[in-house]
Amino acid sequence: TLEKISEEVPHAIVREGGLSAILSFLDFFSFHVQRTAVTAAANCCRSLSPDSFDLVKEVTPIFKNILGYPDQRVVEQAALAVVRITDSYRHYPEKLESILSEDLLASVKLLLNPDSTSVGTGTYTQCLKMLSTAARASPNVAMQLVELGVAETANQILTGVGSPDWTEGEFNVQKKGGEEAIVMQNLVQRPKEQIQEALNLVCELLPGLPRDGIFDAKAFSPKERKLHSSTSTPAPVIKREELTPDLSAPAPAPAPSSSATKPEVPFPEPEVKMEVADDAAIAPTPVSAPASTSSRTRSRDHRDAVNEKRLELYSGGDDKRKLVVKRFYALLLPTLVDVYSASVNSGVRTKAVLGLLKITQLCDEESLASILKSVSMASFLAAILSSRDQSGLVTNALQLVELLLIKMPDAYQYFFRREGVMHEIERIAASPLVYVSKSKRLAASTVTSTAAPSDASAGAPADAVTVPPPTTLSSSEAQAQDMITLRARYLRDRYGAADSEPALEAKSALDNIRVLVKQLEGVEVEGLVEKMAALFADEKTPLSSFEMLESGLVDGLLRFATETRDDGPSVSQRQELLAKAFMPQLDGAATTPAFAVLVKRLQESLSRMEEFEVTLAASSSSDVDPRRSAPSMLARQLKLRLIAEEGSDVPRSCTNIVVSIHAIATFQAFNDYLRPRILAATSSSDRASGSRSAVGAGTLSSFLAAFAAANGVSPPPESGEQSTSATKASLTLEDAVASTSTAGPSNPPLTRRRSSRLSGKGADGASSSKATLDDEEADHAEENPSNPDEDQPMPAEDDEVFAGEDHDDEDEGDIEEDDELFATDFDAAPQSRDERTVHLEVNDDKLVAKTPDGTRVGTPTLGKSASTSKLAPPAPKPRASSYAAAVKSEPTDFHLEFSIGGKPVALDTTVYGAVHKHDAAQPDRRGSLWHQVYTVNFRKVAGPARPDSERSSPLPQSRDDSMPTILPSSIPSDSQQAKILQLLWVLHSINSEYGDTPESQTGPAPGLPESAFTNNKLTAKLNRQLEEPMIVASACLPDWATDLPQYFPFLFPFDTRHIFLQSTAFGYARLMQKWVGQARIDSSRRDDNLGFLGRLQRQKVRISRDRMLESAFKVFELYGSSRASLEVEFFGEVGSGLGPTLEFYALVSKEFARKDLSLWRDTDAAGPSSYVFSPAGLFPRPLDDATAEAGKKVLKVFRVLGQFVAKALMDSRIIDVHFSKAFMKMVLEYELPLKASTVMNVDKELGRSLSHLREYLVSKAAIEDDDSISGGSKKDAIDRIEIKGATVSDLTLDFTLPGYDIELKAGGRDIAVDMWNLEEYISLVIDWTLRKGVMLQVKEFKSGFSSVFPVRDLQSFTASELVMMTGALDEDWSVEGLTNAAKADHGFTMDSRPVRDLLSIMSELTIAERREFLSFITGSPRLPIGGFPALSPSLTVVRKDGGDGSLPSVMTCVNYIKLPDYSSREIVKERVMTAVKEGAGGFHLS
């Protein structure tokens, strides 16, 4: 009761001292009562008044203590209470400082440990926001947070890397290699709100920027141009007297307002204001209401005083505080650079640059020089200046340039030249001024000749044009652009002298590189390559990305590595020269950073050059609330007008309808909507013309007839008029929801109030919107309100019923009776075949598939391939078994074809996709697509729908390892970025060939890791693009997003490419399942209609454990090519869902390695195990005769194996088949090199034998080349060649494949191997091992795989990655890793002794015990990719009743371990291992 009262009247409780009464005896309450009490207290802390301060302060220590409680729910409510208290007193700094004691702040900081599980994601974000609010309100609180080490917390949130261990007295952070990739991965995985709030916190902790000098935006406005035309402009002074106004603060008003208020009107001053914004607002805050000059002055004075206090705290204090502040700068400056580089989010980038500006401004010169030693600031700024999208960021980059030139002129004058910063400044400065004053625009409109220069531009520099060119920029945008240009001109004139010493040194270095590049075109190149590598190996001043581009080095190296030349070394020899010059460790020399620097500079160049754009579903900021996540766009709807084409034989009532439909739905929804309406209207017309007297007599029968007509089912011999609610069942059986209405806005009586029960509530209210008929149809309905004759439109209530809505209370009688009939006969339709559990039973020693009622399930014909359509709808619907299922069946009498803008649209195309492509083809498109009504034409076509010609999935052609010379249209072949990409491809190939450790050897690889070739910017862009569900599901991805992962997959890390595969290859239904779940998490309101979109079908099968492999063959024979999700149960067991399904995949994975199947090469054929073991992984054993019965069986098994692997990938099931790398290369269509070293990777013993035989050939070649030996003597000498004391004849070899009874050529058993046919023998053995003997098995595997989804979609992965995805995987079982990944609940916390004991025991398990333990708790012997953190749901330990005598139990579907509160660690281990042993092999109730 108190909890409910606290929601209604919280202030009354606080005034009466209720907070103290609620919390005083909290420790004496039970868990449940504690939760209720703290929740009530948290409710009372909303919008507290200043009068309640003393009462609130009294209970603050109690909240501080609660933050340390073990119960997560109690802690979350206490944290929310602190958040609300801080928000209530944010305008009262003294009160806030009194409440937020150091102990309370430390407790909140402890909650924000990224590895903490004390609070949920939402509460975590609010706590971060609370610290930002407190730091902004009070300088003292901000300094307290800095001294508490909140910088380490923010750094860990932003980077995912733990806090550094500070050395006594030191403040620098040594940057580790590879952190950029970690930061990028962290930014993808961590909630976007947390990243934004962490950056907000960093910016709020720092003092504001000054408003004069470098940061005076108006000094470079067009109105102040004369200021910069002076030849003796003094250097701007960095002052702190005048402080930056807080743009995100509320406009002066009697009552304070939230800083999150969205601007409503344009700002009158076109300043580029990020540099003066201390908060999140990118655009300047508008003046929403007039305020008096005195109030503005008081507000400004207050902010100045607060910032002055903040500056004193940062610059003053004892040595300890100064060290803390320096560490704050040293830790966060490199982090902000990494965060900017790893993100494409404008808000994140804006905050990161603002933080950099503040730190650079505040830090003294000596400390700044020390911090920037490990930061490539010049390259970073050059990349920002080269971008052309966000003017605010360019302005801030120019400010940073000037700051660094003032503070560290000696260093950065030179570096800015070499990195191209001054080059970019000169480019910007050369831009013409585009702003035209109002008076000049008026004068230009009345004068036809060229206007004279205005006063504003009379004194401008020479490169400022007098008459700006035509521009589409608004006045404010033009002024902002001119401010950037003028600022760049100022920097150019002041610091850009071409004859300065730094400029001459930089020019000399560039000229030297150009000379080397020109020399690379010659014949003698060996020494030149070493010189080139030395430029990159220079750790003090390595060659920059700008110099690479400007000198032509990229072109030169690309030609050197790939161009075929008449003279000099061959292409392969030149590539070997490159490898040995840039990786001297290959020849045993000392390692240099040359190769790593070369690749890094190419990546920097690519990031500067690329201009790939991310396509967003929201075309402008006004289309959708920017605070909403991308998945929330799923609820958006579009309006379309469905118009039947002339002569298409469609009843008039269906010829012109306006509908509102989810934009993410497919055109199949329109088909499912229109078809029953057309059938019902046609049936109604026919019966009305035949028998008018039977009106209303046979409602159900006539409706059954309408649906039966679609499938040739004989309807009951009833006749009667069509019921007014006849179309209701169509919607209840379809998968997509369309909201329709036949009432126009001019016809209110026909509009019906919608019910909320069936219509669903969208996240933005869009799903409840109604559609209207066009005026013509509405008028026709009004003129003939009661005429039931043919071709009359249905009454308004008909369409309302179709939309799935309830009737109002007054609409009773016949309609209500019909609703009841339909609910009984139609909504309760029998479950479709794909959704009923199929039993695999033994019948005459054969497995037969039967439904629960005993009906035998027929086996489909094999050979159908998966659809090439990336987003095909779910599997075809089953044959109709009733009238209610008729609407689900494939029609045979007629089908509907749709078009938009005269272009046909397939049924699996989303509504958004069709509209998006239509708009893209319109050159003069204006306005947002969300606010328009699009016309969709449809026509009725006799006969069944034509099969989609694209549904065949041809196997991909073989590909080689050569560089792609023909690039897709998204990458112009003559562009600089194309050459950079091609050179990166060559270097990646060299790294793979020369830098990898051979599989037969151990030790670190001499080359670079794969992460070195990852481009952070492109990865961030692709990740952002894949977060757009509308774009991905509608197959509207921009060309670059599909081309780059296909042609240059090394640019993206594995996680991104895996998400790309899931987003583009697994079908529409799985995409919807993923995003609808995400949308419901992100939205506080639920849209039930989203559940209808792309509903994923499930196919349940029940099998016997005794016939596992046979059952698997039958299951995949029946459902291997289906897009339904497969779920498995076992006879005699009650378990169902994810756990048994994972165990099925795990057990079948093992069965495929059985020796008696004769599938794989076996290095231990005589061993006692029944399963094949190969250290290098499974590789097919040679197959001699594919036409024999045994050969056919082997090929069939490989086909099923392909289906099995593809199905596991599609359904995200874990399998445990350890394929070899060589096998996966063949699956990816790479030709294996026919060399003995390749055989070594497949069969080590055979490879060694072939290498041994090669020694005979080497000796033979030496004798043949020896001119001192005569011809006859040579033959004798060759025959007598001995290696290790034996001749070839002594080996008694014949032309059969070693280890197999396969003749290498006709009559091979009778042909002995000697020195004269040895080379042929070796060649045939290699060919049969790697090509001829295995090609059919690989082909069948790929054919089976492609029947699920195209195998070519895997070509963005390497063979090693595919091996990892299907089997071999390193897993983290450390106590720390387990603690971070697991959670405790329902009576346990992570500090509970049994939980700690369990995690400690898990970390000590052997490999075999780990597999058994995982099978017990998850159903699979291995973890998913990503290890324990990737388990979904997370591994959870809960308390179970019972003492030391009871065993633990598990719930595999949710990864629950039910653990009794055992008395000792020894008992925990003994009971857990007993449960693992006894629980294997069955799913039962626990």
Side-chain angles (χ1 to χ4, degrees), residues 186-199:
N186 177 73
L187 292 179
V188 172
Q189 295 177 348
R190 188 169 290 278
K192 304 296 183 293
E193 297 81 5
Q194 291 182 14
I195 299 295
Q196 191 69 47
E197 290 301 335
L199 289 169

Side-chain angles (χ1 to χ4, degrees), residues 46-65:
R46 288 192 178 99
S47 303
L48 294 165
S49 65
D51 297 338
S52 306
F53 173 74
D54 293 333
L55 297 172
V56 173
K57 184 179 178 182
E58 181 183 350
V59 298
T60 303
I62 302 178
F63 282 127
K64 180 262 174 188
N65 293 332

Side-chain angles (χ1 to χ4, degrees), residues 520-783:
L520 280 177
E521 302 293 334
V523 178
E524 299 297 329
V525 294
E526 189 167 346
L528 293 175
V529 180
E530 278 76 11
K531 289 182 180 179
M532 191 73 68
L535 292 176
F536 289 96
D538 185 356
E539 296 187 9
K540 291 185 178 180
T541 56
L543 192 145
S544 69
S545 57
F546 168 74
E547 290 169 328
M548 287 185 66
L549 295 172
E550 197 70 11
S551 66
L553 179 58
V554 173
D555 292 350
L557 280 178
L558 181 61
R559 289 194 301 270
F560 177 80
T562 61
E563 192 175 65
T564 302
R565 298 178 180 176
D566 297 333
D567 301 322
S570 64
V571 172
S572 60
Q573 289 173 332
R574 276 179 265 137
Q575 290 187 1
E576 185 177 358
L577 284 175
L578 276 176
K580 291 182 177 180
F582 282 87
M583 293 185 285
Q585 59 270 28
L586 293 174
D587 289 335
T591 302
T592 69
F595 194 55
V597 174
L598 170 60
V599 173
K600 184 177 181 180
R601 294 293 178 263
L602 285 172
Q603 296 287 10
E604 290 174 356
S605 302
L606 180 60
S607 297
R608 290 174 64 170
M609 297 295 298
E610 67 85 19
E611 295 181 353
F612 301 121
E613 294 186 1
V614 176
T615 303
L616 304 179
S619 58
S620 67
S621 59
S622 61
D623 283 339
V624 69
D625 188 343
R627 292 169 295 180
R628 295 174 58 188
S629 63
S632 65
M633 287 288 294
L634 292 172
R636 295 297 298 264
Q637 294 192 352
L638 283 168
K639 275 192 175 182
L640 295 96
R641 184 183 297 275
L642 304 178
I643 298 180
E645 294 183 3
E646 292 292 336
S648 57
D649 192 26
V650 175
R652 186 173 181 182
S653 61
C654 304
T655 57
N656 195 332
I657 308 172
V658 176
V659 296
S660 290
I661 188 170
H662 284 84
I664 202 69
T666 64
F667 270 71
Q668 182 67 44
F670 293 136
N671 184 77
D672 294 343
Y673 165 49
L674 288 170
R675 182 176 173 78
R677 287 177 65 101
I678 292 171
L679 289 171
T682 303
S683 176
S684 173
S685 174
D686 292 343
R687 288 191 307 276
S689 62
S691 177
R692 304 262 179 146
S693 61
V695 174
T699 302
L700 180 57
S701 298
S702 59
F703 192 44
L704 291 175
F707 283 107
N711 301 278
V713 182
S714 299
E718 301 286 346
S719 62
E721 186 52 64
Q722 172 68 30
S723 168
T724 56
S725 57
T727 56
K728 175 175 180 174
S730 174
L731 185 68
T732 59
L733 294 174
E734 70 173 6
D735 288 342
V737 177
S739 302
T740 65
S741 173
T742 56
S746 61
N747 198 6
L750 295 179
T751 302
R752 177 173 294 280
R753 178 170 57 87
R754 295 177 60 91
S755 167
S756 61
R757 184 173 68 88
L758 293 176
S759 62
K761 296 180 179 179
D764 59 354
S767 64
S768 61
S769 64
K770 299 181 182 180
T772 60
L773 289 176
D774 65 332
D775 294 340
E776 179 183 352
E777 184 176 349
D779 292 342
H780 188 73
E782 189 173 12
E783 292 169 4

Side-chain angles (χ1 to χ4, degrees), residues 101 143 377 417 423 713 768 819 830 865 906 1093 1101 1114 1146 1182 1185 1355 1464:
S101 64
M143 183 50 64
M377 185 61 80
R417 288 284 180 180
H423 173 82
V713 182
S768 61
D819 282 351
S865 297
L1093 296 173
V1101 294
K1114 193 67 177 178
D1185 186 5
Q1355 290 184 349
S1464 67

